[in-house]
Amino acid sequence: MIETPTPADPAEPEPTARRRGRPPRAESADTRDRILTVAREEFSERGYEKTSVRGIAKAAGVDSALVHHYFGTKEQVFEAAISVSFSAALHAPEAVAAGPLDGVGERLTRFVFGVWDNPATRAPLLAVLRSAVNNETAAAVFRRVIATQLLRRIAAQVDLPDAELRAELAAAQIVGTAMMRYVIKLEPLASADLEQIIARIAPVVQHHLTAR
Amino acid sequence: MIETPTPADPAEPEPTARRRGRPPRAESADTRDRILTVAREEFSERGYEKTSVRGIAKAAGVDSALVHHYFGTKEQVFEAAISVSFSAALHAPEAVAAGPLDGVGERLTRFVFGVWDNPATRAPLLAVLRSAVNNETAAAVFRRVIATQLLRRIAAQVDLPDAELRAELAAAQIVGTAMMRYVIKLEPLASADLEQIIARIAPVVQHHLTAR
């Protein structure tokens, strides 16, 4: 649990002068945040497989033991990193809750495409998606996060038989469209006006979630 | 354009004894097929970025120049490999054409999920998808293949305004569902009966393709 000195880096001076012993509480939060930021960068750049706790620790200027102390295994570091990367998207259940059920398709579609259409919030989603497509363990973590933090919460508000399957099929339409538009960049979809996409997708999302 | 001897491999004797000069026509087709098989394996195992024409040539026991002679650049080898990997899926336009337009949603959905649900035909699709998600050049090749060989042919049969966009949104629903089911393995979708999935997805595909 001892932080090791950061390797000399002229661009970035060491954040603290104290180096030995367990950090005090205020510094703990800073250090934890710093490790999480570095972890997201490492997972994003290298993907799940090639990222190591040792590499994260080194880049954050701390001992590997401190990374394990705050987050646990590499899998758990990845789960914490995903939750931050998805923080924008994880507000989707609130968008679903923010109005009557007959407008849920448009609210959910508009909300999620708002996240995908913004390059700043799209980049971390793409990084997570890449890791999940490439690695079974990363896929399992991704699955757990979106199931518990996203899909089940949406399903709970729908309150119909098969609500979870409904939420997954609605998500499949949105994620599939996002992949075609932002990753594969198929035309005319990639250049289509966002409002046109929302107008086409929202009724399908509504259908999946609420049709009897 | 000269084949080099295969490195000694006790498991697999050299396919031919003749080694010098341009191969005769019958052997050409065999060699071309062998290179393509090896290329698919290499792209599938290593992904687009880490596969090289030199590596493909070595694994196929031929000179790099022969790979270039038959296929062109690495990008063009990948395109040829994709076309083989997608050969099952590329029959989708025939499934679309094989009946009246009001049954197109079910025919297309049933056909494509038939390809995805079979592990033997799913594996090469997944390998291509991984490369496309990880690499821009691979994504561009993937885009070209599915646009020209799949989506435009389906769109041509729909014969409505925005037919290409319609085909892409229908494909997005199918591909998104396949990803959630076979890659991310979200439950209950991953264990759901295939007929149940088809019953849910087919009306949406029909809607995208033909609703006014």
Side-chain angles (χ1 to χ4, degrees), chain A residues 3-4 6 12 14-16 19 27-41 56-62 66 71:
Chain A
E3 292 188 83
T4 52
T6 320
E12 202 174 8
E14 283 205 12
T16 60
R19 290 287 87 181
E27 194 190 341
S28 284
D30 283 356
T31 306
R32 190 184 184 284
D33 285 352
R34 181 155 46 95
I35 293 169
L36 199 53
T37 302
V38 168
R40 290 179 63 207
E41 288 166 4
I56 292 168
K58 193 176 170 194
V62 302
L66 196 66
F71 299 100

Side-chain angles (χ1 to χ4, degrees), chain B residues 51-101:
Chain B
T51 298
S52 66
V53 167
R54 182 194 295 255
I56 292 168
K58 193 176 170 193
V62 302
D63 194 88
S64 295
L66 195 68
V67 178
H68 290 302
H69 168 69
Y70 282 127
F71 298 101
T73 63
K74 170 178 159 182
E75 198 177 323
Q76 290 168 316
V77 182
F78 184 66
E79 182 156 348
I82 281 188
S83 298
V84 178
S85 293
F86 267 73
S87 56
L90 294 176
H91 290 287
E94 296 159 29
V96 169
L101 208 57

Side-chain angles (χ1 to χ4, degrees), chain A residues 50 126 129-136 139-140 142-143 146-147 151-152 161-162 164-166 168-173 175-177 179-180 183-190 192 196-197 200-201 203-204 207-208, chain B residues 50 126 129-130 132-136 139-140 142-144 146-147 151-152 161-162 164-166 168-173 175-177 179-180 183-190 192 196-197 200-201 203-204 207-208:
Chain A
K50 286 191 211 142
L126 271 180
L129 195 69
R130 284 198 179 97
S131 280
V133 167
N134 284 306
N135 180 278
E136 293 270 347
F142 179 72
R143 174 168 71 237
I146 62 172
L151 296 174
R152 274 180 214 161
D162 300 326
E164 287 191 23
L165 184 62
R166 287 167 178 271
E168 288 170 1
L169 295 174
Q173 173 72 74
V175 169
T177 306
M179 270 199 59
M180 297 283 210
V183 183
I184 310 299
K185 295 176 185 158
L186 269 171
E187 294 293 355
L189 182 56
Q196 190 189 5
I197 305 295
R200 299 279 187 131
I201 297 299
V204 169
H207 170 84
H208 280 310
Chain B
K50 285 190 212 144
L126 271 181
L129 195 67
R130 284 199 179 98
V133 167
N134 284 308
N135 180 278
E136 293 269 346
F142 179 72
R143 176 168 69 237
R144 192 163 59 233
I146 62 172
L151 297 173
R152 273 180 214 160
D162 300 325
E164 288 192 21
L165 184 62
R166 287 167 177 272
E168 287 169 2
L169 295 174
Q173 173 73 74
V175 170
T177 306
M179 270 199 58
M180 297 283 210
V183 183
I184 311 298
K185 297 176 183 155
L186 270 170
E187 291 296 354
L189 183 57
Q196 189 189 7
I197 306 294
R200 300 278 187 133
I201 297 298
V204 169
H207 170 84
H208 281 309

Side-chain angles (χ1 to χ4, degrees), chain A residues 110-125:
Chain A
R110 187 173 293 283
F111 178 84
V112 179
F113 274 97
V115 176
W116 271 100
D117 214 53
N118 178 344
T121 42
R122 175 166 73 238
L125 295 186

Side-chain angles (χ1 to χ4, degrees), chain A residues 41-106:
Chain A
E41 288 166 4
E42 294 279 311
F43 283 123
S44 169
E45 278 168 29
R46 298 166 196 272
Y48 181 82
E49 280 185 29
K50 286 191 211 142
T51 297
S52 65
V53 167
R54 183 193 294 256
I56 292 168
K58 193 176 170 194
V62 302
D63 195 88
S64 295
L66 196 66
V67 178
H68 290 303
H69 168 68
Y70 283 127
F71 299 100
T73 62
K74 169 177 160 182
E75 197 176 324
Q76 290 168 316
V77 183
F78 184 66
E79 182 157 349
I82 281 188
S83 297
V84 178
S85 293
F86 266 72
S87 56
L90 294 177
H91 290 287
E94 297 159 28
V96 169
L101 208 58
D102 63 2
V104 67
E106 194 188 327

Side-chain angles (χ1 to χ4, degrees), chain B residues 150-160 163-164 167:
Chain B
L150 199 52
L151 297 173
R152 273 180 214 160
R153 291 185 190 175
I154 291 171
Q157 293 174 34
V158 169
D159 192 27
L160 278 174
E164 288 192 21

